[in-house]
Amino acid sequence: MTKTGEFAGAVAVVTGGSRGIGLAVSAELARAGAKVAVLALDAERAAAAANSLEGEGHVAHSCDVADSAACRSAVRMVEKSVGPISILVNNAGVTRDNILVRMRDEEWAQVVSTNLGGAFNMTRAVARGMMKRRAGSIINISSVIGLIGNAGQANYAASKAGLHGLTRSVARELASRNVRCNAVAPGFIRTDMTAALGEAAAAELRQRIPLDRLGEPEDVAEVVRFLAGPEARYITGQVIAVDGGMAM
Ligand code: NAP
């Protein structure tokens, strides 16, 4: 359950905050009082998402997280217009599935540069400010696929496993400045990304989920809110699966 006012005055950036898990995270943080900067590729969708959030002071920016200069400039704009960032949720992600021997260079590069490169670009852009202020929580949205792998998703699995290494390294490097970094690894969550699989594949996947249902974006968003907040003050460098028990 959201605690109203938990993040009053805090500024949160959510990449890929316009749809799916990112939108649920933005809504959850806004309900808890944060001012949220929604970043996404599509400016109109990002603006609509920011407008839909509870409370005041939310903003939207079009930003390709794979572009490090765009990330630096988005962070500058948010800090100038809204205030110092204390929560970063690296959620933007894409899939370009293909079997290994047919995977094209672009499919590999696009997934790795968005899912892993994007988190690096954004984390580096906010880190100095967070370290100076000795306050910050960074949450990377990875995937259980980064833990267990998946045929046809070598690029996606590698990018998400890479996020786990990034999470632990950032956690070690920034801990002395009271900046925490954790990852949430969702299982199979109902969003546009998974809708493409169709009902038959979803039913087959469900058989592999001990809690016997697909996840909802809110299942992930509430864990992100917990990790962002004071109740998680002694938790850093962790990867928490939110997957109905799929990857035990
Ligand atoms: P989604 O519905 O496809 O939404 C993806 C979001 O990422 C959109 O807001 C999109 O913006 C944004 N985005 C994509 N490329 C971007 C880029 N280069 N720069 C900035 N923003 C970009 O995805 P989702 O299912 O909510 O997934 C969110 C995260 O959870 C991803 O990292 C995904 O890998 C992870 N995840 C999802 C599942 C699942 O079952 N759904 C499971 C495990 C992990 P636009 O609207 O502008 O396109």
Side-chain angles (χ1 to χ4, degrees):
M1 287 291 288
T2 309
K3 288 188 184 164
T4 317
E6 185 178 6
F7 296 125
V11 178
V13 172
V14 182
T15 70
S18 60
R19 293 189 274 137
I21 293 171
L23 178 57
V25 168
S26 300
E28 181 71 17
L29 297 177
R31 262 197 302 278
K35 292 179 200 159
V36 180
V38 174
L39 306 189
L41 288 177
D42 186 303
E44 273 181 32
R45 237 189 333 250
N51 284 333
S52 75
L53 302 177
E54 210 173 293
E56 306 277 297
H58 312 300
V59 295
H61 288 293
S62 169
C63 170
D64 179 353
V65 294
D67 176 345
S68 64
C71 291
R72 273 196 296 273
S73 129
V75 166
R76 264 198 307 271
M77 277 195 287
V78 171
E79 297 216 312
K80 216 169 150 196
S81 63
V82 196
I85 297 162
S86 59
I87 300 167
L88 168 65
V89 183
N90 286 312
N91 163 81
V94 291
T95 51
R96 294 289 179 270
D97 300 350
N98 213 339
I99 58 168
L100 182 69
V101 292
R102 290 211 194 115
M103 189 168 283
R104 298 200 309 270
D105 290 352
E106 312 85 83
E107 290 170 333
W108 172 268
Q110 196 183 357
V111 169
V112 173
S113 65
T114 301
N115 300 5
L116 179 55
F120 167 71
N121 290 335
M122 287 300 299
T123 300
R124 185 177 53 180
V126 301
R128 212 182 288 274
M130 286 183 174
M131 287 164 75
K132 239 190 244 163
R133 296 186 292 275
R134 288 185 155 55
S137 179
I138 299 164
I139 295 121
N140 295 322
I141 307 300
S142 62
S143 168
V144 288
I145 301 305
L147 297 169
I148 60 178
N150 197 21
Q153 289 199 305
N155 50 0
Y156 186 76
S159 72
K160 296 300 190 176
L163 269 182
H164 297 158
L166 178 69
T167 299
R168 294 178 181 122
S169 299
V170 170
R172 286 187 186 279
E173 199 166 322
L174 306 190
S176 64
R177 313 295 176 94
N178 194 36
V179 177
R180 298 179 296 106
C181 182
N182 291 287
V184 173
F188 190 87
I189 311 295
R190 278 188 199 280
T191 67
D192 294 347
M193 186 179 270
T194 46
L197 289 174
E199 281 308 311
E204 196 266 318
L205 264 163
R206 188 172 153 174
Q207 289 172 7
R208 292 164 41 194
I209 305 172
L211 285 178
D212 196 28
R213 69 169 175 88
L214 308 188
E216 300 297 333
E218 292 70 25
D219 294 327
V220 179
E222 292 185 19
V223 178
V224 172
R225 197 250 310 136
F226 164 72
L227 286 172
E231 288 169 339
R233 61 191 170 274
Y234 203 52
I235 301 177
T236 197
Q238 301 306 304
V239 177
I240 299 182
V242 180
D243 66 345
M246 197 174 158
M248 287 191 266

